[in-house]
């Protein structure tokens, strides 16, 4: 009976992960503002600063993600998903009615509240998905983060391309998709996405870990195929009505294809009774059990007194579960926080202003830049999640080092856009997208590895306060004020700016911010090298122990 329950838990856990992927495929709606921002600007006769303030308002919604973090420690995953989906339905539904001109434009202050709600809705979805999946797959946090964050990166392109293929890029239809689709998908995830119960474990933990790695590899392959498929559609020019419908149909089939993994696990468990066990056997096992034991031995080897030994062992260590108060008292938290601000804040400024940047550079259709940034973000997330995990297992490379590399490359990307040579916006949008994706996918597991999973929902949402803060500093103030200083007023209201000078200084300042982030990431890499060495040794010792057991048997 116990093995049958474990078997059922295993394939249901993977089915839950598939629905988590679907939720992330539609929860990046907060990054799609550029697709309909020009319609809001025209209907409401806004200046660029006012429009950027609206974009900041949607990002401020993430600041209230603290509520989602607190709720994730107290309420079940389905309830968290329900709250997020209903809030998004209300927010994007109202925006749809405004852009569709079914109702008169709302007062500016009320419109800020509406966009704030839309931004907050994604924090409930993301918190439910990340916390649940991290707890279900504790030993593969890098791939989990890369895949889930990767699909968020693809979501902008998924929504954009589906809308262009089905509704000819109509902003009102696009907002209708943002309102309805997430509610439908979250309703499905509410049924299947939940924490898997821990099992008795056994001697096959290493087999489980390797098996999970293979399944995550399958998810990676599918996601890369989807990304390349979207990219091919974006760069292949105009498409006829029939071809567009075929594209949309194939895309939906590709998004459904990860269901093959839980189906395979289910069939395998039924046909292979000896393998009817849960791959979540380590669900209750601390990440650094071995590392903590080694730390105690070190104290003894140093010849400390009995009282001194108890005092050191009782001290909260990086890698153990931290409350939010304990976390914010550490230097490591603030180094991670500020470096994260430099990367995601400047990246958000580009995403929020990509529509105006494209128009300023003389492009009439800016949707391709939005999609390129989205697809670049996907490859940054999916690649860094898997590669950072691999580098820890093989060479104990600290995960924050990947953040440092992304920051310096992002700084180069901003310089390329500031130079404004032909095609620089194409290059810059891809580079910024990739580096922004790396920043998100790597920082998420880093926070869990340094401060534990017990209170991770709240710690994660405190960390992503950088999104509204970065949006306010880099998009609302920096980009908005500098653009308006270069723009000319137009008779019907609002303003416009054409030319490379509109955003040149913005790009230069953001490149310096990335250099600051680069230095902080190098500092965090140095400060955390020992914990990643312990993670490496922990994984190595488990693998050696499993190998010895096999030899004996």
């Amino acid at each position: 009976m116990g093995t049958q329950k474990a078997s059922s838990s295993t394939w249901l856990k993977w089915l839950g992960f598939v629905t988590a992927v679907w939720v992330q495929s539609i929860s990046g709606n907060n990054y799609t503002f550029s697709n309909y921002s020009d319609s809001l600007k025209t209907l409401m006769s806004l200046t660029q600063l006012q429009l950027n303030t609206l974009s900041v308002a949607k990002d401020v919604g993430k600041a209230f993600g603290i509520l989602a973090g607190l709720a994730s420690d107290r309420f079940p995953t389905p309830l968290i998903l329900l709250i997020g989906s209903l809030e998004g339905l209300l927010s994007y539904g109202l925006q749809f009615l405004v852009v569709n001109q079914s109702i008169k434009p709302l007062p500016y202050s009320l419109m800020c509240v509406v966009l704030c709600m839309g931004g907050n809705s994604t924090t409930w979805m993301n918190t439910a998905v990340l916390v649940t999946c991290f707890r279900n797959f504790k030993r593969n946090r890098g791939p989990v983060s890369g895949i889930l964050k990767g699909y968020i990166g693809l979501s902008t392109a998924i929504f954009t391309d589906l809308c262009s293929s089905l509704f000819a890029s109509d902003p009102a239809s696009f907002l209708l998709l943002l309102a309805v689709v997430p509610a439908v998908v979250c309703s499905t995830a509410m049924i299947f996405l939940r924490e898997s119960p821990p099992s008795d474990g056994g001697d096959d933990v290493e087999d489980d870990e390797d098996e999970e790695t293979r399944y995550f590899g399958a998810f990676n392959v599918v996601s890369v195929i989807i990304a390349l498929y979207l990219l091919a559609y974006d760069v292949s020019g105009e498409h006829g009505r029939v071809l567009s419908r075929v594209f949309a149909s194939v895309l939906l089939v590709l998004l459904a294809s990860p269901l093959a993994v839980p189906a395979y696990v289910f069939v395998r468990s039924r046909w292979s009774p000896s393998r009817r066990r849960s791959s979540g056997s380590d669900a209750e096992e601390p990440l650094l059990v071995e590392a903590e034991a080694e730390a105690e031995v070190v104290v003894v080897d140093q010849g400390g007194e009995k009282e001194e030994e108890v005092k050191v062992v009782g001290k909260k260590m990086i890698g153990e579960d931290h409350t939010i108060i304990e976390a914010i008292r550490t230097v490591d938290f603030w180094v991670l926080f500020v470096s994260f601000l430099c990367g995601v804040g400047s990246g958000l400024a580009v995403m929020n202003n990509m529509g105006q940047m494209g128009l300023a550079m003389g492009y009439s259709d800016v949707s391709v830049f939005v999609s390129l940034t989205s697809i670049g973000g996907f490859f940054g997330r999916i690649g860094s999640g898997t590669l950072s995990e691999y580098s820890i297992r093989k060479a104990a490379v600290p995960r924050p080092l990947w953040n440092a590399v992304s920051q310096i490359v992002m700084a180069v990307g901003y310089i390329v856009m500031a130079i404004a040579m032909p095609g620089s916006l194409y290059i810059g949008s891809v580079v910024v997208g990739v580096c922004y994706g790396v920043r998100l996918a790597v920082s998420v597991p880093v926070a869990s590895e340094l401060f534990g999973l017990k209170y991770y929902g709240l710690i994660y949402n405190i960390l992503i306060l950088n999104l509204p803060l970065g949006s306010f500093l880099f998009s609302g103030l920096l980009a908005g004020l500098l653009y308006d200083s270069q723009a000319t007023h137009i008779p019907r209201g609002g303003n416009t700016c054409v030319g490379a000078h509109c955003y040149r200084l913005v790009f230069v300042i953001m490149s310096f911010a990335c250099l600051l982030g680069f230095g902080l990431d190098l500092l965090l890499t140095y400060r955390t090298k020992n914990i990643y060495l312990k993670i490496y040794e922990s994984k190595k010792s488990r693998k050696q122990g499993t190998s010895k057991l096999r030899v004996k048997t």
Side-chain angles (χ1 to χ4, degrees):
M1 181 67 71
T3 56
Q4 290 178 349
K5 182 178 288 187
S7 173
S8 174
S9 172
T10 301
W11 77 268
L12 285 174
K13 180 176 70 171
W14 284 105
L15 182 57
F17 186 74
V18 172
T19 61
V21 165
W22 291 344
V23 170
Q24 297 299 74
S25 298
I26 52 83
S27 62
N29 45 22
N30 206 40
Y31 298 110
T32 62
F33 185 68
S34 294
N35 283 334
Y36 59 91
S37 59
D38 200 54
S39 296
L40 288 178
K41 184 177 182 181
T42 301
L43 284 170
M44 300 179 68
S45 300
L46 305 176
T47 66
Q48 187 61 33
L49 181 59
Q50 289 175 318
L51 184 66
N52 282 11
T53 302
L54 277 182
S55 74
V56 171
K58 71 175 177 58
D59 292 324
V60 166
K62 290 185 172 64
F64 297 98
I66 295 175
L67 299 176
L70 289 170
S72 69
D73 296 329
R74 293 165 174 80
F75 301 108
T77 300
L79 180 58
I80 307 300
L81 287 170
L82 177 63
I83 295 172
S85 61
L86 291 179
E87 192 175 17
L89 180 64
L90 177 60
S91 172
Y92 291 103
L94 285 173
Q95 293 178 67
F96 160 74
L97 294 175
V98 170
V99 173
N100 195 47
Q101 300 187 42
S102 298
I103 61 175
K104 293 182 179 180
L106 302 176
Y108 182 76
S109 58
L110 182 57
M111 202 65 181
C112 288
V113 174
V114 169
L115 267 78
C116 181
M117 290 176 59
N120 183 249
S121 68
T122 64
T123 66
W124 293 86
M125 300 179 199
N126 294 340
T127 300
V129 164
L130 284 170
V131 172
T132 304
C133 290
F134 270 15
R135 289 173 178 169
N136 285 347
F137 303 98
K138 291 183 66 173
R139 299 198 180 280
N140 279 286
R141 300 187 202 188
V144 167
S145 176
I147 292 169
L148 296 180
K149 289 296 183 180
Y151 273 97
I152 291 183
L154 281 182
S155 63
T156 302
I158 290 171
F159 273 124
T160 301
D161 290 347
L162 277 178
C163 186
S164 64
S165 63
L166 297 175
F167 309 111
S169 300
D170 175 53
S173 300
F174 184 80
L175 282 165
L176 183 61
L177 282 178
L178 295 182
V180 175
V181 172
V184 174
V185 173
C186 285
S187 298
T188 303
M190 279 182 241
I191 302 174
F192 301 106
L193 181 60
R194 58 198 66 223
E195 288 187 38
S196 298
S199 69
D200 295 333
D203 299 321
D204 297 313
V205 174
E206 184 63 30
D207 285 342
D208 287 332
E209 189 171 348
D210 291 341
E211 194 170 281
E212 284 185 1
T213 300
R214 289 194 294 271
Y215 294 152
F216 285 128
F219 277 95
N220 283 333
V221 170
V222 171
S223 62
V224 169
I225 292 173
I226 293 174
L228 294 176
Y229 183 64
L230 292 168
L231 182 61
Y233 182 80
D234 289 333
V235 301
S236 56
E238 298 294 329
H239 308 89
R241 183 181 181 86
V242 175
L243 186 60
S244 296
R245 297 295 188 273
V246 171
F247 161 81
S249 300
V250 173
L251 178 59
L252 293 177
V253 171
L254 289 173
L255 289 171
S257 62
L259 284 170
V261 171
Y264 173 79
V265 174
F266 176 80
V267 172
R268 186 182 183 188
S269 66
R270 290 300 183 269
W271 284 88
S272 303
S274 63
R275 297 194 59 83
R276 291 179 184 178
R277 54 185 171 77
S278 172
S279 64
S281 59
D282 61 334
E284 296 299 323
E285 183 181 351
L287 177 67
L288 295 176
V289 171
E290 297 87 347
E292 292 170 16
E294 290 171 8
E296 295 178 4
V297 172
V298 169
V299 173
V300 175
D301 289 344
Q302 289 175 344
E305 297 296 331
K306 187 67 176 180
E307 296 80 6
E308 183 179 357
E309 177 186 348
V310 173
K311 182 179 180 180
V312 174
V313 171
K315 185 179 179 180
K316 184 72 70 173
M317 297 168 56
I318 290 296
E320 296 184 57
D321 289 320
H322 286 60
T323 66
I324 187 58
I325 299 299
E326 291 168 340
I328 64 177
R329 287 176 178 174
T330 65
V331 174
D332 303 284
F333 179 86
W334 291 109
V335 172
L336 177 63
F337 187 90
V338 177
S339 69
F340 191 63
L341 173 64
C342 294
V344 299
S346 59
L348 276 174
V350 172
M351 294 178 186
N352 290 339
N353 292 274
M354 185 57 74
Q356 283 66 45
M357 288 176 180
L359 294 174
M361 296 292 190
Y363 296 97
S364 57
D365 182 11
V366 298
S367 62
V368 64
F369 299 113
V370 176
S371 292
L372 286 175
T373 303
S374 174
I375 294 171
F378 160 77
F379 281 108
R381 299 171 204 222
I382 205 82
S384 62
T386 300
L387 292 176
S388 65
E389 191 75 26
Y390 179 83
S391 64
I392 292 173
R393 293 182 181 181
K394 295 300 180 182
V397 176
R399 211 187 295 268
L401 184 61
W402 291 84
N403 279 337
V405 174
S406 72
Q407 291 278 49
I408 198 68
V409 175
M410 184 180 271
V412 173
Y414 290 140
I415 295 299
V416 169
M417 288 193 284
I419 295 173
M421 296 176 61
S424 63
L425 197 57
Y426 286 95
I427 298 173
S429 60
V430 172
V431 169
V432 171
V434 169
C435 295
Y436 182 86
V438 172
R439 182 83 248 188
L440 281 176
V442 172
S443 298
V444 168
V446 166
S448 72
E449 287 158 350
L450 299 186
F451 308 113
L453 284 173
K454 186 174 182 180
Y455 305 101
Y456 179 69
L458 183 56
I459 290 174
Y460 166 75
N461 280 283
I462 293 292
L463 185 62
I464 64 170
L465 284 175
N466 277 299
L467 297 179
L469 178 59
S471 179
F472 171 72
L473 293 176
F474 289 96
S475 182
L477 289 183
L478 182 67
L481 290 173
L482 292 182
Y483 178 95
D484 283 345
S485 69
Q486 301 292 329
T488 56
H489 292 278
I490 53 180
R492 66 175 183 273
N495 59 18
T496 185
C497 182
V498 178
H501 64 284
C502 299
Y503 285 99
R504 178 171 288 126
L505 185 56
V506 175
F507 293 136
V508 171
I509 294 175
M510 290 195 303
S511 68
F512 279 105
C514 286
L515 291 177
L516 172 61
F518 170 72
L520 291 173
D521 286 323
L522 286 182
L523 175 61
L524 189 61
T525 298
Y526 174 78
R527 290 180 60 86
T528 60
K529 66 181 187 299
N530 288 334
I531 191 139
Y532 285 100
L533 179 60
K534 291 175 182 178
I535 294 174
Y536 164 77
E537 292 172 347
S538 171
K539 292 177 182 291
K540 184 178 179 180
S541 64
R542 285 200 310 273
K543 191 168 186 178
Q544 290 174 344
T546 304
S547 300
K548 291 178 181 178
L549 181 62
R550 287 172 179 165
V551 171
K552 291 180 180 179
T553 56

